[in-house]
Amino acid sequence: KIVLEKLGSRLPQTVYSWHTDDVGDLVQVEQRVYGSQQVETFIDADKLLRFTHRQRGSDFEGRGWKRDVWKHWELKGVLEKIAMVAADRNGVGVWIAYTLGAMSPTEESDLDTAISNLRAGSQPGIRLDKSKVEMEFHTTQRVSMIEDIGYHDARIAQAGLVHFQTLGENTVGSHALAQTGFDLYMVALDGIATELAETFQEAIIEPMVRWNFGPNVVMPRLEFKLREPDGKQLAEVVEVFVRAGVLKPDASIEDLV
């Protein structure tokens, strides 16, 4: 019997080019691996199990579902860095000393040293002549990035169809809306799983079955289950179908429900 011992992975970044025939069908993949020395190899298309999401024409690399998330993730990272730099530079504030009277050079030097070395915890206070010096703590107005970062967080959640996870923040959202969002996410996840299953079915299962058992055998199907069905919803659907005469109650329906 012909069996698969192992499916080796090929990292996308090692694929150098895709070679096609005159009608655009994939013939070979050119792979280049860089290390202590460059290794170049060619892999025939019939030796590949290729998973391509959202392929257009001969674009065999496709477009990953996280691609729509990347822009907002990148911008969010930049905003967070700006916020940290602003907090580091201007978050604490500085002491300012105003000289009210004449001061000797020695007094001015001592005042500069005291102000520059004023730190909470190490030197929390200094002694000054109020007739000569007035102190003021000055803080700058920092630009808040929280709203902008929150905007990109929301766009990331929406692009990934997981915005239902953010419901409840800022007193926004409801359980019904969360369930609708989760159902939409599961529909998208089901589509991706179906795409993977169909690719594996066509490229691996069916050729292996034909090689081992001949072309006329009943072909097995790869199936998957992402979650158990909601028993209450299933019962309601069955009840509606029975009342409409579409289904007739029998032992199989009882076992299912």
Side-chain angles (χ1 to χ4, degrees):
K1 293 183 178 181
I2 302 175
V3 296
L4 284 177
E5 181 178 352
K6 181 180 179 181
L7 287 173
S9 62
R10 297 294 181 265
L11 298 179
Q13 58 265 33
T14 65
V15 177
Y16 181 74
S17 63
W18 306 81
H19 300 279
T20 60
D21 57 17
D22 295 337
V23 296
D25 292 332
L26 182 64
V27 176
Q28 280 184 330
V29 168
E30 182 178 352
Q31 184 185 20
R32 293 185 181 181
V33 181
Y34 301 92
S36 57
Q37 60 181 354
Q38 177 178 320
V39 179
E40 180 179 308
T41 184
F42 294 87
I43 307 174
D44 293 336
D46 58 358
K47 301 297 183 181
L48 286 173
L49 175 60
R50 177 175 56 87
F51 298 98
T52 303
H53 183 59
R54 295 171 66 178
Q55 177 179 338
R56 294 182 179 180
S58 296
D59 178 18
F60 298 103
E61 294 183 355
R63 181 183 174 93
W65 70 270
K66 292 184 179 179
R67 181 63 180 82
D68 298 325
V69 173
W70 178 84
K71 178 182 74 172
H72 296 288
W73 180 267
E74 186 73 11
L75 293 176
K76 174 190 173 184
V78 173
L79 291 175
E80 289 176 336
K81 292 179 181 178
I82 294 175
M84 290 303 299
V85 171
D88 180 63
R89 292 182 177 180
N90 307 315
V92 178
V94 295
W95 281 101
I96 299 177
Y98 299 97
T99 56
L100 305 178
M103 299 181 68
S104 65
T106 302
E107 290 176 328
E108 290 181 354
S109 178
D110 292 341
L111 178 61
D112 290 340
T113 302
I115 290 296
S116 61
N117 291 329
L118 191 59
R119 302 287 191 275
S122 60
Q123 189 176 344
I126 57 175
R127 180 179 179 182
L128 297 172
D129 186 348
K130 292 183 63 175
S131 64
K132 295 183 178 181
V133 180
E134 181 178 299
M135 298 289 294
E136 178 182 289
F137 188 73
H138 180 72
T139 58
T140 58
Q141 183 67 32
R142 289 190 294 150
V143 178
S144 176
M145 300 290 177
I146 295 179
E147 183 176 349
D148 294 330
I149 292 174
Y151 166 81
H152 290 290
D153 278 337
R155 299 289 84 78
I156 290 172
Q158 290 180 0
L161 296 179
V162 291
H163 54 283
F164 58 88
Q165 294 184 352
T166 64
L167 296 176
E169 297 181 4
N170 301 322
T171 66
V172 176
S174 64
H175 175 74
L177 189 60
Q179 185 62 48
T180 301
F182 179 73
D183 291 340
L184 179 61
Y185 171 75
M186 293 303 298
V187 169
L189 193 61
D190 183 88
I192 295 176
T194 300
E195 185 178 1
L196 295 175
E198 290 178 349
T199 301
F200 201 87
Q201 176 77 28
E202 179 181 353
I204 298 295
I205 295 178
E206 294 182 2
M208 295 290 292
V209 171
R210 284 193 292 267
W211 291 338
N212 285 283
F213 304 102
N216 299 321
V217 68
V218 177
M219 194 64 61
R221 297 292 302 178
L222 177 62
E223 297 182 353
F224 61 89
K225 181 185 294 185
L226 297 178
R227 59 173 174 170
E228 294 292 337
D230 188 311
K232 181 179 179 181
Q233 293 182 354
L234 180 60
E236 292 175 352
V237 171
V238 172
E239 181 183 2
V240 171
F241 283 176
V242 170
R243 288 181 178 179
V246 178
L247 288 178
K248 293 183 179 180
D250 56 17
S252 61
I253 294 181
E254 291 183 359
D255 293 338
L256 177 63
V257 177

